[in-house]
Amino acid sequence: MKKTKEKEEAKVQVEKDNIQTESSGNQQEGKIKDEESTGNEEEPTEEDQTGKKDENKDDEKEKETDADKLARMHDKYLRLSAEFDNYRKRTLKEKMELTRLASEEILKNLLPVVDDFERAVKSMEESNDVDAVKAGVDLIFTKFKDFMNNNGVKEISAMDEEFDADLHEAITKFPVKEEEKKGKVVDVIEKGYYLHDKIIRYSKVVVGE
């Protein structure tokens, strides 16, 4: 009995030893597999590293290019702004010069009329011929009216016309017997004038009622 019991205990011990051995072997195999899998991981090659460097360089170039574009656009804006300012000043100067020269030309053309008036005044002081003086003044007046027309100044028609608030300025109303004169201009106190198509002075009139 005692021997049988010792044999069973020895058998159990052997089985325990076998289980421990198998477990140790499995752990060892797992370690070897982990090492192999770790060893199988590919390390980055020189080409990969070079590619990454090139990508970084491209990014830097793009950043530099954007900065250059911004600087170029800013410089272009400053140039255009300066050119526009110069153009504005030049245009304003030309406009002022044109206005000055236009006034100069008008006054220059008016001088002959002034000369005629001076001669007429002198003639009235020396001459007793009233008709000749009158004819001379009429001639000067006609010459002056031609000068006005040539410069775009024209008289606004008013006498016996229907009252028009866009052309006439009513000073007063005057009672009239004739029915056809009611609402019409019966007298012109001060003539009105156009400068080309623009009214520079309204006709001051009396309207019949």
Side-chain angles (χ1 to χ4, degrees), residues 28 69-70 113 121 128 132 140 146 153 161-162 168 185 202:
Q28 189 68 24
K69 286 181 180 179
L70 183 61
V113 180
V121 171
N128 294 323
I140 295 170
D146 291 339
V153 180
E161 298 285 341
E162 289 284 346
H168 310 135
V185 176
Y202 292 90

Side-chain angles (χ1 to χ4, degrees), residues 13-72:
Q13 186 65 37
V14 171
E15 288 178 354
K16 288 182 178 180
D17 293 339
N18 289 336
I19 291 171
Q20 290 178 354
T21 303
E22 288 177 1
S23 176
S24 298
N26 291 334
Q27 290 178 358
Q28 189 68 24
E29 287 179 0
K31 288 182 180 180
I32 292 170
K33 287 181 179 179
D34 292 338
E35 290 176 356
E36 287 179 352
S37 62
T38 304
N40 288 332
E41 291 182 357
E42 293 182 358
E43 294 183 356
T45 62
E46 292 183 0
E47 293 180 355
D48 293 337
Q49 293 177 353
T50 304
K52 290 181 179 179
K53 290 180 180 179
D54 292 339
E55 289 178 359
N56 292 332
K57 288 182 179 179
D58 292 338
D59 292 339
E60 290 178 359
K61 286 181 179 179
E62 288 181 359
K63 290 180 181 178
E64 290 177 359
T65 302
D66 291 340
D68 292 340
K69 286 181 180 179
L70 183 61
R72 189 162 52 252

Side-chain angles (χ1 to χ4, degrees), residues 99-123:
T99 303
R100 187 181 68 81
L101 292 177
S103 301
E104 180 181 343
E105 189 67 21
I106 291 173
L107 293 174
K108 183 178 177 182
N109 293 332
L110 188 60
L111 291 178
V113 180
V114 176
D115 294 337
D116 289 341
F117 271 119
E118 287 179 348
R119 283 191 287 268
V121 171
K122 187 176 180 180
S123 177

Side-chain angles (χ1 to χ4, degrees), residues 110-149:
L110 188 60
L111 291 178
V113 180
V114 176
D115 294 337
D116 289 341
F117 271 119
E118 287 179 348
R119 283 191 287 268
V121 171
K122 187 176 180 180
S123 177
M124 285 188 289
E125 291 176 353
E126 296 177 354
S127 176
N128 294 323
D129 190 349
V130 178
D131 291 336
V133 173
K134 183 180 177 182
V137 173
D138 288 339
L139 183 63
I140 295 170
F141 179 67
T142 301
K143 191 174 182 179
F144 182 73
K145 287 184 70 176
D146 291 339
F147 165 80
M148 297 282 283
N149 288 330

